[in-house]
């Protein structure tokens, strides 16, 4: 397990989400990423992004106009359903 | 393609209803309205700052891939083959560009076709009967581009012809009315969705477009960086002379946002009274500093004072103090406001 830090200060949403997404792509399941931001929107957007993409938010921290999200990379294998034409 | 609005949400849902695995893709051009100004402005703090496309994806239970196209989008904005809409919005070229990116994405990620929420006649420039085949053809997506909301009014696409999708269960919406979409949302049990009044993109905004054109004219170049695009969304912009303009924070949140640019721009702030942070964009000569400082003073608490003290901070950290008389409101020509 490795832990990395992503500086997303001064970026406005959705850029912190995009940078998180691109960073997570290069990480392994179980790795942790600490994303440090100044846009309060990340407190909502990164957890949403984690939920829909199968990653886990470990901690949300806010203080002095900085917002930090610590997440754990999930097993993000594509799991496509077969086409079902019976519906 | 998920924009965060209702139409693409319904389009995706229509296809999901047929048991087909759908994932969302969303493009960030830098001009998207999404949350930005809300995130900056203090007065908007109470409003939810959610990203609509992420929210829609969560409602649909699908993954969302957000793609940064800031750099590539420059060519779309600067050289639109099909021209601009009412303002600086190159909608048709933009659509073609995005569908083309989606086409590349499905090839790389092993997906079969593209769904958009387009409706014939919904938008005057990019969603007309005549433009539908142009988008499909010029994007290279051809008949892999399925528009579930109006598919029955268009020739069958490959997914329909091959039977991957049941054409009978697609829709035939046309025109600008939102009623069919609202009825469909109700049927699907979707009772919350975003309906952005001014669209999802700053390029359709008259004032934003004017600021963008002003910037290009002043610089004698249409090059731009993401920071330029962002700064046009923030503050009051006043151009007293062609070679520089002032960006004046309108409230605390904007002031904090502009603080982040103090290393890149000359900035001014009143030190004898409360006042906003002001960035100077352009090349300001020493003799212009007094004029800029007196405008800066006009927007602070010392606006009625005989004299105020303005601190000028240069990018390298050097500072200078100016004593100026605040400019009177009526002395600032209307033409200076961008
Ligand atoms: S409104 Fe903006 S994002 Fe939407 S199609 Fe037009 S240029 Fe593109």
């Amino acid at each position: 397990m490795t832990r990395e830090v992503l500086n997303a200060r001064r970026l406005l949403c959705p850029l912190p989400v995009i940078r998180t997404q691109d960073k997570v792509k290069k990480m392994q399941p179980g790795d942790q990423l600490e994303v440090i931001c100044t846009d309060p929107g990340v407190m909502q957007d990164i957890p949403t992004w984690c939920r829909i993409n199968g990653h886990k938010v470990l901690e949300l921290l806010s203080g002095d106009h900085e917002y930090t999200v610590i997440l754990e990379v999930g097993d993000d294998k594509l799991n496509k359903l077969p086409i079902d034409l019976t519906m | 393609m998920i924009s965060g609005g209702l139409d693409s949400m319904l389009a995706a849902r229509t296809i999901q209803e047929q048991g087909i695995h759908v994932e969302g893709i969303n493009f960030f051009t830098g001009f998207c309205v999404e949350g930005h100004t809300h995130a900056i402005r203090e007065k908007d703090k109470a409003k939810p700052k959610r990203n609509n496309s992420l929210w829609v994806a969560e409602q649909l239970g699908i993954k969302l891939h957000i793609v940064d196209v800031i750099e590539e989008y420059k060519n779309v904005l600067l050289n639109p083959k099909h021209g601009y809409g009412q303002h600086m919005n190159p909608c048709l070229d933009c659509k073609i560009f995005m569908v083309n990116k989606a086409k590349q994405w499905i090839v790389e990620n092993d997906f079969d076709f593209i769904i958009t929420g387009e409706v014939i006649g919904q938008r005057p420039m990019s969603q007309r009967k005549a433009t539908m085949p142009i988008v499909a053809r010029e994007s290279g997506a051809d008949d892999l581009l399925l528009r579930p909301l109006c598919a029955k009014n268009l020739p069958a696409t490959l997914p329909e012809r091959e039977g991957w999708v049941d054409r009978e269960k697609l829709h035939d919406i046309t025109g600008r009315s939102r009623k069919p979409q609202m009825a469909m949302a109700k049927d699907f049990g979707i009772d919350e969705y975003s309906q952005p009044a001014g669209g999802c993109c700053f390029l359709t905004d008259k004032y934003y477009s004017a600021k963008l054109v002003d910037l290009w004219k002043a610089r004698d170049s249409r090059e731009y960086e993401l920071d330029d695009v962002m700064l046009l969304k923030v503050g009051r912009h006043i151009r007293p002379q062609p070679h520089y303009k002032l960006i004046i924070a309108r409230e605390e949140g904007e002031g904090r946002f502009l603080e982040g640019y103090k290393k890149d721009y000359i900035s001014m702030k009143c030190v004898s009274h409360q006042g906003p942070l002001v960035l100077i964009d352009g090349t300001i000569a020493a003799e212009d500093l007094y004029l800029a400082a007196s405008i800066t003073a006009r927007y602070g608490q010392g606006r009625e004072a005989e004299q105020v003290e303005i601190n000028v901070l240069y990018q390298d950290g050097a500072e200078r103090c100016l004593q100026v008389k605040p400019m009177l409101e009526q002395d600032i020509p209307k033409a200076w406001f961008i």
Side-chain angles (χ1 to χ4, degrees):
Chain A
M1 194 271 284
T2 60
R3 178 161 172 149
E4 297 198 43
V5 178
L6 175 67
N7 179 356
R9 291 182 184 94
R10 276 183 59 183
L11 297 179
L12 296 176
C13 279
L15 281 171
V17 181
I18 297 176
R19 299 286 180 265
T20 302
Q21 166 192 275
D22 295 348
K23 182 89 193 160
V24 162
K25 251 185 223 156
K26 296 180 197 133
M27 298 172 75
Q28 297 300 319
D31 288 353
Q32 292 182 1
L33 180 65
E34 180 178 337
V35 193
I36 308 169
C37 313
T38 47
D39 179 352
V42 299
M43 301 299 267
Q44 193 147 352
D45 290 352
I46 296 183
T48 307
W49 178 82
C50 285
R51 283 196 299 277
I52 63 181
N53 290 290
H55 310 295
K56 194 163 142 196
V57 175
L58 300 176
E59 226 173 319
L60 287 170
L61 306 163
S62 63
D64 202 21
H65 304 303
E66 281 208 348
Y67 307 87
T68 303
V69 184
I70 302 168
L71 62 92
E72 186 181 294
V73 179
D75 199 352
D76 189 28
K77 299 257 159 30
L78 283 182
N79 182 22
K80 287 207 244 173
L81 298 170
I83 292 176
D84 178 0
L85 293 174
T86 58
M87 288 183 73
Chain B
M1 287 167 60
I2 296 289
S3 70
L6 178 61
D7 291 3
S8 53
M9 186 181 194
L10 293 173
R13 186 63 199 272
T14 299
I15 296 304
Q16 282 181 299
E17 286 284 304
Q18 298 200 18
I20 295 167
H21 175 90
V22 176
E23 292 194 14
I25 189 163
N26 174 265
F27 298 100
F28 181 64
T29 62
F31 296 97
C32 309
V33 173
E34 205 58 76
H36 277 120
T37 30
H38 294 182
I40 300 167
R41 295 192 75 170
E42 194 77 12
K43 76 173 179 57
D44 292 336
K45 258 203 165 143
K47 289 188 190 165
K49 293 173 193 72
R50 72 173 188 215
N51 175 300
N52 285 325
S53 48
L54 281 169
W55 183 83
V56 162
E58 188 166 34
Q59 301 311 302
L60 294 169
I62 61 174
K63 288 186 180 181
L64 182 74
H65 311 275
I66 310 179
V67 186
D68 170 354
V69 291
I70 297 165
E71 277 306 311
E72 289 167 88
Y73 192 73
K74 287 180 179 174
N75 188 42
V76 180
L77 174 59
L78 298 179
N79 306 301
K81 183 177 154 195
H82 298 281
Y84 297 101
Q86 204 177 355
H87 301 294
M88 290 306 292
N89 48 314
C91 289
L92 187 48
D93 289 84
C94 177
K95 273 266 150 61
I96 294 166
F97 167 77
M98 288 184 183
V99 174
N100 171 267
K101 297 297 294 178
K103 167 77 191 306
Q104 289 174 28
W105 194 91
I106 65 164
V107 170
E108 283 159 18
N109 292 279
D110 202 19
F111 279 68
D112 300 310
F113 59 96
I114 303 161
I115 312 159
T116 69
E118 290 166 287
V119 167
I120 297 170
Q122 182 87 182
R123 300 221 191 274
M125 184 179 180
S126 58
Q127 293 190 38
R128 288 180 286 123
K129 181 119 193 167
T131 60
M132 295 278 163
I134 298 176
V135 173
R137 190 176 60 242
E138 294 191 14
S139 65
D142 294 312
D143 63 357
L144 293 181
L145 176 58
L146 177 66
R147 287 104 162 189
L149 301 188
C150 62
K152 282 182 171 166
N153 298 322
L154 292 168
T157 56
L158 186 74
E160 294 159 276
R161 292 198 309 273
E162 290 291 318
W164 304 340
V165 167
D166 182 352
R167 182 172 166 91
E168 281 315 302
K169 292 184 181 150
L170 303 179
H171 308 285
D172 57 359
I173 304 177
T174 54
R176 295 185 70 104
S177 165
R178 306 289 299 150
K179 284 199 185 122
Q181 285 95 320
M182 286 172 179
M184 201 187 295
K186 203 162 164 230
D187 286 349
F188 283 139
I190 300 169
D191 49 14
E192 197 194 334
Y193 42 86
S194 100
Q195 298 198 75
C200 55
C201 165
F202 272 103
L203 295 172
T204 58
D205 181 88
K206 181 176 160 191
Y207 301 102
Y208 187 90
S209 293
K211 284 190 237 174
L212 183 62
V213 171
D214 164 82
L215 185 83
W216 287 341
K217 214 169 119 196
R219 291 185 183 168
D220 199 18
S221 157
R222 301 206 306 155
E223 295 295 307
Y224 66 86
E225 296 304 326
L226 182 64
D227 280 341
D228 298 321
V229 170
M230 292 295 163
L231 285 172
L232 293 181
K233 297 174 186 174
V234 180
R236 189 179 272 115
H237 291 232
I238 298 179
R239 185 177 294 286
Q241 287 176 291
H243 48 283
Y244 72 92
K245 72 170 174 181
L246 287 78
I247 305 173
I248 305 167
R250 289 171 294 192
E251 39 85 286
E252 207 188 319
E254 287 193 342
R256 223 176 6 257
F257 179 73
L258 295 183
E259 288 276 338
Y261 289 91
K262 277 170 39 178
K263 283 203 172 71
D264 307 308
Y265 294 83
I266 296 176
S267 59
M268 288 189 174
K269 199 165 171 49
C270 186
V271 284
S272 57
H273 301 76
Q274 286 263 337
L277 179 68
V278 174
L279 297 185
I280 310 286
D281 180 29
T283 44
I284 189 166
E287 61 269 25
D288 301 326
L289 283 176
Y290 280 90
L291 176 59
S294 66
I295 298 171
T296 300
R298 156 76 191 92
Y299 289 96
Q301 305 270 311
R303 65 176 68 88
E304 310 281 344
E306 252 324 289
Q307 187 162 290
V308 303
E309 192 174 334
I310 301 286
N311 181 266
V312 184
L313 175 66
Y314 292 86
Q315 293 94 323
D316 61 1
E319 291 185 67
R320 170 172 183 191
C321 255
L322 302 175
Q323 307 290 332
V324 293
K325 182 172 168 30
M327 204 161 185
L328 296 174
E329 191 180 1
Q330 61 267 30
D331 291 342
I332 306 180
K334 291 257 177 308
W336 288 5
F337 290 87
I338 312 164

